[in-house]
Amino acid sequence: MTHKEKTEQFLHQHYHCSQALFGAFAKDFGLDLKTAFRISTCFGGGMRQGGTCGCITASLLVLGMAFGFYDSQDKEQEVYGNQKTEEFIKRFAQGMDGVVCCRDILGRDISKPEEMALVRKEGLILKKCPRALNLSIDILEDMLADYLKNIKETSIELKDIPENEMHRVLRGISKRNYFQRNVSELLYTSAERIAFIQFDIQKFKIVNDLYGEKFGDEVLDFIERQLEKCCNERQFFINLRSDVFMVVTEYKNERELQAFIRELDSQTRLFKSVKLQMSFGVYTVEDREMELRQMEDRAAMARKAAKKNILRNILFYREQFKESLYNRKFIEENMQAAISERQFCIYLQPKYSITKNEIIGAEALVRWLHPERGMIFPDQFIPVIEENGFIKRLDYYIWEEACRFIKRCEAAGINNCPVSVNVSRIHLRDNECIGILSDMIKDYSIPKKLLELEITETADDQQISMKALQLKEEGFTLLMDDFGSGYSSLNILLETPFDVIKLDRKFMINMMLSGKGRLILEQVITMADKLQLGVLAEGVETKEQVELLQNIGCDQVQGYYYAKPMPEDEFYNLLLNKGEEQAGN
Ligand code: C2E
Ligand code: MG
Ligand code: MG
């Protein structure tokens, strides 16, 4: 259907002129109709007050969307945008013999509700607006065709222009618009099936850190070049952000699609002898009316799942990914109530000394006891609430629970059992947590050394180092959690004043698998010793692991072999009994 046919259809469905016009172009920008109507209705309000013809308002909206004049920082785009706006109004006024006011076209003042009612009753929009609408569409289509031609011609030149921020942004905007238009057209016109393929590089951050950001940029350029080679004129690609790329393609059957993705994989696998591993997420389009953004989201969900999958690096979006969306929705809708209704609680997992065979502390781990769903484990909800920021509130709640427990122990005469709490990385972005922790210690009047802080090792060592330093200066004991699980920069050990490193469970597994694994562990323990850091092994599950750890000089352990995380009362009783045993001895 042409833009004009669509406009006419909307007019017959009793939409206003501006809604009909903007709605006709909505698909070109990946907008669904509902959103388009909402936007044009908002702008229509202004138009009604000013008396301007609604076709002008809607056309300027279309131009704004097409050229991307929405970045107020981007002065060049703004100038260009204003030129285009003027050009449109001039041509429109010429075509309408100078009539640009709604009142003059309709013969009614639509800012008055009673007159607007008459416009509706008499069907005036359908009778009097089509001339202005058709003229607007002619001008818009002309201008857009011109613009498209320009992008196509200049995009090669743009590549040669030295990279500065302005050009990068400009190029990004035009590319994104160009891509969206092409994809919309493909969805609209293609008789074949269509797939959205999104991919990124596993551990791209490490590539950047190891070889430098310039090399990282070269890698991204290389991928673009390979995509240019692999894609034909009906296959479109874009670098969405950082190392995330998307390709939209037609395909006949799944075998052909798989072969295309494998080709992309093999063409992007190696750059200057550095191996790159891609994770591909694929969404095969079923409903072409769906919003473009939603299709992208589904491909993104599949990509993220592929990233976590150790067996396959290509995953198709399947309905079960929706499950994870429902899960997310459940968490977001229930998390506030869960705090106010005290559904979160701490489980405590003891830490042991192998040689003394006694409890030397505990870690507080959150559990969500939902009245209908039962117990929900942190891995199921922490990633979601870290994304939406709610983790801060939850952590404060858990830290306070830990303080309350420490106080409870003290009251019973147990004052040698430090409790560690987990500090999400989100806290390290600002200074709030330092004050909150210090206040809690004061409010519960417990010794600072009894509340220990676990911070997970990450790639952002600079940021962690700074915050950790401040916490350390405040007098807190710091444990580096999950050491060896991912990035393992040894620098962080030098730069950050951790007191203890907690060896990740992976170390335990590798140690049992090979002599090499054991050797590495031995070296880490020797190094920690030299740096005067304590070492605690996490995830210790077997007697053999305990013996090996003891042989290589690691005494502190935490794991199922000794005890699983348990409810507060159970751990409290364990401590009380331990006290009695010792008293009895
Ligand atoms: P983590 O801090 O590394 O905690 C250790 C996790 O390993 C716990 O899982 C614990 O139950 C599990 N674990 C302990 N011993 C063994 C073992 O021998 N074998 C195996 N397979 N697992 C063992 P959990 O409680 O499910 O917690 C998972 C992660 O969630 C924690 O890892 C931590 O990163 C996070 N987390 C838990 N509670 C909180 C919290 O209150 N705040 C924040 N920010 N994160 C939390
Ligand atoms: Mg921990
Ligand atoms: Mg850990």
Side-chain angles (χ1 to χ4, degrees), residues 253-266 314 316:
N253 52 49
E254 204 164 288
R255 195 152 19 105
E256 182 191 311
L257 179 60
Q258 292 265 14
F260 175 63
I261 300 168
R262 277 200 298 276
E263 174 68 8
L264 293 178
D265 195 15
S266 74
I314 303 172
F316 280 65

Side-chain angles (χ1 to χ4, degrees), residues 363 422 454 481 502:
E363 174 174 9
N422 290 284
E454 297 199 6
D481 204 356
K502 291 188 77 175

